[in-house]
């Protein structure tokens, strides 16, 4: 299976509200600028997750936008460049064979590292070790969505 990205939102308060109460993974990227990663340039600057509906994607994204998350790289990019986000809900991602959001985040981070030569510039961590090797995802990710046209 191939994981594609399609629907996008501006990283602004009005559009962050659309993902209130959603758990899953989110991807923050720049609209008009690529980061020169070692193997392949990309507009993607961060891969994050929300493990629960109480600490939903909207809460996490709002924290990044305002700087309250402590990740000032994301808020500074958002202040100085047009930033957008896309996401996958945990309910959709579990169809790939793993419902552990930490495992899913680690899968995306590891794949980005393999394809681009480093983790996204604003990711300070590499995720965690897979909780159960039998739950490894057998999907490929289409990172070309995050390349400039």
């Amino acid at each position: 299976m191939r994981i594609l990205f399609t629907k996008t939102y501006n990283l602004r308060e009005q559009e962050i509200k659309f993902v209130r109460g959603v758990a899953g993974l989110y991807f923050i990227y720049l609209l008009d600028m690529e980061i020169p990663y070692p193997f392949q340039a990309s507009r993607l600057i961060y891969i994050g997750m929300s493990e629960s509906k109480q600490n939903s994607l909207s809460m996490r994204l709002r924290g990044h936008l305002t700087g309250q998350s402590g990740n000032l790289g994301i808020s500074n990019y958002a202040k100085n460049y047009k930033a957008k986000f896309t996401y996958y809900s945990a309910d959709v991602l579990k169809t790939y064979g793993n419902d552990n959001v930490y495992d899913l985040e680690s899968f995306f981070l590891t794949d980005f590292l393999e394809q681009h030569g480093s983790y996204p510039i604003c990711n300070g961590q590499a995720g965690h070790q897979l909780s159960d090797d039998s739950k490894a995802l057998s999907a490929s990710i289409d990172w070309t969505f995050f390349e400039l046209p």
Side-chain angles (χ1 to χ4, degrees):
M1 286 195 266
R2 190 133 175 92
I3 299 172
L4 305 171
F5 299 91
T6 55
K7 185 95 173 134
T8 67
Y9 302 88
N10 292 309
L11 188 59
R12 298 286 173 254
E13 185 65 38
Q14 307 87 292
E15 295 185 46
I16 289 173
K17 292 177 184 176
F18 293 131
V19 291
R20 185 178 294 146
V22 176
L25 298 181
Y26 58 95
F27 306 82
I28 299 174
Y29 67 99
L30 305 174
L31 185 62
D32 300 318
M33 187 176 94
E34 286 183 319
I35 305 301
Y37 293 109
F39 299 159
Q40 174 76 40
S42 176
R43 298 180 296 159
L44 187 68
I45 62 168
Y46 189 77
I47 299 171
M49 57 141 251
S50 160
E51 70 281 8
S52 69
K53 293 180 181 188
Q54 292 75 28
N55 185 25
S56 70
L57 294 178
S58 66
M59 292 182 71
R60 299 295 314 261
L61 288 163
R62 188 174 295 110
H64 290 313
L65 184 61
T66 63
Q68 290 177 326
S69 71
N71 190 329
L72 297 179
I74 298 171
S75 59
N76 286 333
Y77 272 115
K79 286 176 190 168
N80 292 288
Y81 301 95
K82 292 179 184 169
K84 296 183 80 84
F85 72 94
T86 186
Y87 75 96
Y88 267 102
S89 72
D91 291 336
V92 169
L93 288 172
K94 72 181 177 185
T95 64
Y96 290 97
N98 189 327
D99 60 357
N100 183 316
V101 182
Y102 293 96
D103 287 350
L104 295 167
E105 179 192 40
S106 183
F107 171 75
F108 278 86
L109 285 167
T110 300
D111 195 77
F112 190 88
L113 169 65
E114 290 170 0
Q115 300 300 316
H116 293 85
S118 75
Y119 295 108
I121 195 167
C122 292
N123 276 92
Q125 61 181 13
H128 79 288
Q129 294 295 319
L130 190 62
S131 64
D132 181 352
D133 287 338
S134 69
K135 293 197 171 205
L137 276 70
S138 59
S140 63
I141 302 168
D142 183 6
W143 295 113
T144 61
F145 176 83
F146 299 104
E147 295 174 7
L148 281 175

